[in-house]
């Protein structure tokens, strides 16, 4: 997602960055959802605006924090797309996955505690409908297209702003509010709040996200069949082809 330096960075440091970034992301999404629900009770539209705005701005900052270390994936679909394009080894992508999931669960617990709720409260918010399934496919494929298109066209420095803006917009143009991430889907099961998702709905979301990731990768390769050479001042892209 973000650029990394050309010098090798130890895997343990990259995993730490992915864990922390995923935790910050989950705490951001869930915490801002709880705050929105408390600040604007009963006004669902306003609550969603507050949740989306905080997520978009916070995600921008988190990508800038950890992009130079791990690529700031925070998302197994992004990590495996990166592996497809050769920016990350398949072994490292497999290692990123548990760090991302653990981070999102930890972030959910942190968000609950920051708002004086039970550390773990399993969500009862059912979301699995055909419309939500389609929305998650669309949300995830467009996320992958944004990230890979920027990387393959030598514009990876714009990734933090572009991804933050896209996720903020996707809260509104998808009926699912654009989870677009299996790790955050799992994390959000552990908070019975505005941003939660019932465990029974999570498998459908994750399946849709995987389908969206595959479609997004294929579409990007079709539009950007070869990676454009970067200018010397351009930061190396994590998703290289």
């Amino acid at each position: 997602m973000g650029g990394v330096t050309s010098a090798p960075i130890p895997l343990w440091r990259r995993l730490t960055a992915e864990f922390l970034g995923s935790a910050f992301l989950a705490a951001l999404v869930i915490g801002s959802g709880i705050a929105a629900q408390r600040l604007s009770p009963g006004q669902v539209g306003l609550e969603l605006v507050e949740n989306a705005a905080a997520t978009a701005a916070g995600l921008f900052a988190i990508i800038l924090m950890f992009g130079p270390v791990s690529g700031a994936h925070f998302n197994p679909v992004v990590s495996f797309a990166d592996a497809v394009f050769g920016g990350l080894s398949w072994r490292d992508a497999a290692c990123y996955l548990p760090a991302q999931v653990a981070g999102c669960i930890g972030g959910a617990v942190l968000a609950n505690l920051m708002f004086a709720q039970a550390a773990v409260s399993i969500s009862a918010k059912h979301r699995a409908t055909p419309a939500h399934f389609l929305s998650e496919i669309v949300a995830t494929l467009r996320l992958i297209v944004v990230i890979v298109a920027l990387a393959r066209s030598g514009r990876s420095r714009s990734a933090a702003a572009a991804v933050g803006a896209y996720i903020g917009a996707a809260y509104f143009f998808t009926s699912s509010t654009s989870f677009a991430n299996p790790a955050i889907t799992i994390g959000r099961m552990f908070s019975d709040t505005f941003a939660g998702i019932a465990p029974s709905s999570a498998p459908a979301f994750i399946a849709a996200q995987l389908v969206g990731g595959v479609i997004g990768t294929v579409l990007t390769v079709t539009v950007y069949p070869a990676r454009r050479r970067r200018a010397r001042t351009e930061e190396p892209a994590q998703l290289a082809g």
Side-chain angles (χ1 to χ4, degrees), residues 114-134:
M114 286 193 296
F115 286 89
Q117 299 198 356
V120 174
S121 57
I122 302 302
S123 178
K125 197 164 191 173
H126 295 281
R127 298 176 182 262
T129 68
H132 287 141
F133 186 84
L134 177 59

Side-chain angles (χ1 to χ4, degrees), residues 139-224:
T140 309
L141 78 84
R142 291 186 64 172
L143 175 63
I144 295 300
V145 169
V146 168
I147 295 169
V148 181
L150 290 174
R152 289 175 75 82
S153 61
R155 296 174 293 160
S156 59
R157 286 185 174 181
S158 302
V163 171
Y166 169 74
I167 292 298
Y171 264 72
F172 291 93
F173 76 75
T174 64
S175 62
S176 64
T177 66
S178 184
F179 286 43
N181 181 340
I184 195 71
T185 301
I186 293 171
R188 287 164 78 155
M189 293 191 303
F190 291 85
S191 183
D192 189 20
T193 60
F194 182 78
I197 180 172
S200 60
S201 298
F205 268 56
I206 293 171
Q209 291 153 4
L210 296 177
V211 171
V214 171
I215 297 173
T217 300
V218 172
L219 288 177
T220 311
V221 172
T222 302
V223 178
Y224 289 95

